[in-house]
Amino acid sequence: MVACLLVPQALSYSSLTRLPPAYGLYTALVPTLVYGMLGTSRHLSMGPEALISVLIGTLVKGQLKHLYAAYSPDMPPADTVEQFSTAVASAVALLSGTFTFLLGMFRLGFLDSMISESSLRGFISGTAIVIIIGQSRIMLGIAAAPSSVHSTPWNDLKFMLSHLDQIHAVTAMVSLGALLFLRLLRVVKSRFKSAVWLQQVPDTLVVIVLTTAISWASRLGQAHGVVIFGQVDGDLPRFRLPHIPRYADSKDIVSSALTITMIGVVESVIVAREYAGRNHYAVSSNRELVALGVSNAVGSTFRAYPAFGSLSRSKLNDRAQAKSQLSGVITALLVIASLLGLLPYLYHLPRGVLAAIITDAVISLLSATPGAIAFLFKVQAWSDLFLLLFICFCSVAASVETGILLAVVISLIMVIKRSNMPRIKLLGRSMENDNDFYPIDGAPPPSRNLLRRLSFGSSTDSQDDEAPSRGAGSNNSLSTDAQARHIDGVLIVRIEEPLYFANAGQLHARLNRMEMYGDMRTHPSEAPRMSPTRAVVFDLIGMSDIDGSALEILLGIVHEYARRQVRVLFVRVCEDVRARFEQAHMAAAGGDYDFSDISTALLHLEQQLCIPTA
């Protein structure tokens, strides 16, 4: 069943890459076969994908500029253009496979979550619109722009709209009819889900068979000028080591391979996890990356371009109740049969029908975008909504590379920004119970019922942001109108996460701001409002680990406080952090860490150091 979708998609997507159709089948063959032997997902369907194909096509299009410039003022031979394009695509496949393999070997499978959902959705939506623009011109039978090698999606759209008078009527009728048939069949399938036989109808294959038969019977190519599939070499791929061809820009190829790796890995791992969860089996992200990397590296030696997991084909695999990776091997064998026996029968297939198949597929990619926009608007996530729309607009107005570059860069900036700020809270003593301490953030502490729900009835120390830090002899009685107050001259700070080199750098600046204003929301331009600090109590209930760089920073903060004669106490220190403190001689620097709770530390300050804490 999957092969009935994979083969038509492979033939269609090859047009996005600016490669001959057979190379789409090569990409559907070798990587699928290798992944079937190495992959851990029973449902992930390897092969060419729309997003990856358009990225390859964009790269090939850009590299062809260098080839044309080398032959200027003449045009390079057609064979030279094909060899150059296929060499670029194979080189990207090898590099992408190598990068993916290394990610798996170094156990970096967690990196698939580094791109935010909004950024990824904006890029996918923008790329889908770019594909629809390019394929619409083909479906309408409008000739390509003379400078199509140098054009942008926006320029392509303007060219198509300005040449609507050149629409080829027969091509448009056949192509749009095929697209309408595909969309209607999807609607019928969605409404009659109980009809098992209807769900198993290979709609893409049906469209290809019907339009090919109509084209042959009506002689659309010869009598009506419709561009048809034509003669295609269907031999099996031969082994050939990939290389970066002469005149190609190595930096562009490497950067495109990195981009394709990132997009392919994110898509593939998400699909593998989704269907593993639905069918109650486990997949290893790192093993998946190794399998994907080897599949692409081996595929590149047989003239394949990068292949990754497909959501639509994986969904079909799940519907067919695949039980093992053997389904991928069987699919690859059917692709071999198609290579050897199917292509001659597609001679009369209109090219516009392949464009309709691609358009149908990318319309499905856009189906989730309205829901995502509505959800972000509903929850008032304005920054995420702006990010989605901005990246989508840049992908269409500028280029696909611009869209993915912005998606990656903005996502990384967001990750760095949020990881760079340590999660700390300034605590104050409850006005109702001296042994309870709450975050001072302008909000009242939670009620008894809320705390009971948060802690599931436990009376132990809670790590929830709004739950109290308790001292010795505390009880659970809270009132809804209880407030937390500062202790004059004493700063109580709760660190709620492990400290490492990235988030510890801002710790000193945030502590200074707390000392001056007692509230992180106060703007630094305002006058200080807190009395001089005589002691600082760090509640380390959430700090389960600390690396060497963060420990050095924390030690420097303690030294600075000691120089100012400010006492530093640490409470609720876990064993691993305590061992690090002992190795760093924290006590000698002025940081005491032998206190079990905040109340004990405050009692020590009051009795031993004569610092009032009442």
Side-chain angles (χ1 to χ4, degrees), residues 63 171 177 341 398 422 471:
Q63 296 305 303
T171 299

Side-chain angles (χ1 to χ4, degrees), residues 43 75 115 156 205 207 229 257 283 294 308 370 546:
H43 298 88
M75 293 292 290
I115 300 181
D156 290 342
L205 185 61
V207 166
F229 194 70
V283 294
V294 174
F308 286 95
I546 184 171

Side-chain angles (χ1 to χ4, degrees), residues 427 429 434-435 437 461 469-474 492 537-541 569-573 578 592-605:
L427 303 182
R429 173 172 273 162
D434 286 347
N435 291 321
F437 300 87
D461 296 319
S469 294
R470 301 188 181 278
S474 66
I492 306 175
V537 178
F538 287 102
D539 181 7
L540 305 188
I541 183 62
L569 288 76
F570 298 94
V571 305
R572 299 198 285 187
V573 183
R578 183 182 297 273
D592 296 333
Y593 49 88
D594 291 325
F595 302 97
S596 59
D597 52 48
I598 299 174
S599 295
T600 304
L602 294 180
L603 185 63
H604 173 80
L605 290 174

Side-chain angles (χ1 to χ4, degrees), residues 215 218-228 348:
S215 175
S218 304
R219 301 178 68 246
L220 294 181
Q222 298 88 342
H224 300 281
V226 174
V227 179
I228 58 176
H348 294 281

